[in-house]
Amino acid sequence: MKVVEVLHMNGGNGDISYANNSLVQRKVILMTTPIMEQAISDLCCSLFPETLYVADLGCSSGANTFLVVSEFVKIVEKERKKHNLQSPEFHFNFNDLPGNDFNTIFQSLGKFQQDLRKQIGEGFGSCYFSGVAAEVKYIVEKEGSFTINQLETTRVHWNNASNYHENNINGGYNVSKCMRAVAEPLLLSQFDPKFMDLVFQKYEEIISDCMAKEKTEFINVTVSLTKKK
């Protein structure tokens, strides 16, 4: 058995999960806070970017994952207020081995963001999160049938799926239609067809509200492969 297949923490939130048995790691993370604070302070003195990308290499799962994020945001907000600057946009990439419990991370994300806004207020920039297990290159090479020519990630605005991507007019409607074309057959296999209009009307309202408040994008991974002879 490959080490990469077994080298990960216990997932979930049970008694033997990493999430509930990582107080020592939490203490170590807090001990590194002054180093992170100094690094961010130095950055703000010389350059304060509009967008900050942060990679947590070996994020595992549980509260410690979000501890790193919250400490980072708090320090940046402290520095930007000191220098009277606008809050940047935050992009956090959670990276770990493919067997890591990314589900637990993202199931807890909503509550974490609510708690963070209560602590800091509504003034800080938008936060975007992605789980990068994303070892796409490794998996393809391990399978052995293909050679990777190119691997890129691109960002596409939600409304670009429509003919009205020059602005956000009817954005929620357009995205709702796009998703309905994909998801409705699956929903119809489980639910009464008479609910479909109501479901996607509600979805349109949610999407429209989201698009009005923040920058909404799809993250797309493009891989160019050549089959080996």
Side-chain angles (χ1 to χ4, degrees):
M1 182 177 292
K2 300 287 186 179
V3 174
V4 71
E5 297 173 358
V6 297
L7 188 60
H8 60 82
M9 311 303 177
N10 280 342
N13 292 299
D15 290 339
I16 60 172
S17 67
Y18 177 85
N20 288 323
N21 294 278
S22 53
L23 292 179
V24 173
Q25 293 90 330
R26 179 183 179 87
K27 183 176 180 179
V28 172
I29 291 171
L30 290 173
M31 289 173 63
T32 66
T33 299
I35 299 174
M36 182 166 59
E37 187 167 8
Q38 183 61 54
I40 294 173
S41 179
D42 293 341
L43 174 67
C44 293
C45 289
S46 58
L47 171 68
F48 196 81
E50 295 181 354
T51 304
L52 287 171
Y53 289 86
V54 181
D56 185 346
L57 306 179
C59 65
S60 193
S61 61
N64 286 347
T65 302
F66 297 117
L67 175 62
V68 174
V69 173
S70 63
E71 288 300 305
F72 184 89
V73 174
K74 289 176 184 177
I75 294 170
V76 171
E77 284 299 289
K78 176 183 175 181
E79 288 297 320
R80 71 96 177 171
K81 289 176 181 177
K82 182 193 302 184
H83 297 282
N84 195 29
L85 298 169
Q86 186 173 349
S87 182
E89 183 176 279
F90 299 91
H91 291 257
F92 294 97
N93 296 315
F94 297 138
N95 174 265
D96 211 316
L97 294 173
N100 187 55
D101 185 8
F102 286 97
N103 287 332
T104 295
I105 293 177
F106 285 94
Q107 286 170 358
S108 307
L109 192 55
K111 183 178 184 305
F112 164 73
Q113 292 190 83
Q114 291 177 6
D115 292 342
L116 187 61
R117 291 192 181 276
K118 287 180 182 178
Q119 295 176 41
I120 301 178
E122 293 292 335
F124 69 93
S126 299
C127 292
Y128 300 94
F129 302 85
S130 61
V132 188
E135 301 292 341
V136 174
K137 182 177 180 181
Y138 167 80
I139 292 171
V140 171
E141 291 177 344
K142 178 184 176 183
E143 195 278 334
S145 298
F146 298 88
T147 298
I148 296 180
N149 301 320
Q150 197 168 355
L151 190 155
E152 292 185 357
T153 59
T154 54
R155 301 176 184 278
V156 182
H157 191 278
W158 286 2
N159 204 23
N160 281 6
S162 74
N163 293 324
Y164 304 96
H165 57 269
E166 63 271 18
N167 54 48
N168 281 334
I169 298 175
N170 296 324
Y173 173 73
N174 294 324
V175 175
S176 178
K177 282 205 310 179
C178 179
M179 294 306 297
R180 184 167 187 169
V182 175
E184 188 169 38
L186 177 62
L187 294 174
L188 286 174
S189 69
Q190 301 294 325
F191 301 100
D192 195 308
K194 67 182 181 182
F195 294 120
M196 292 299 103
D197 286 343
L198 181 61
V199 166
F200 285 99
Q201 285 172 9
K202 185 64 177 177
Y203 181 70
E204 178 186 340
E205 294 173 8
I206 295 171
I207 292 298
S208 296
D209 181 64
C210 184
M211 293 177 74
K213 294 179 179 178
E214 62 188 51
K215 185 178 180 180
T216 51
E217 297 176 321
F218 295 111
I219 304 299
N220 185 64
V221 179
T222 304
V223 185
S224 173
L225 305 173
T226 300
K227 188 173 183 180
K228 293 180 179 178
K229 296 182 180 179

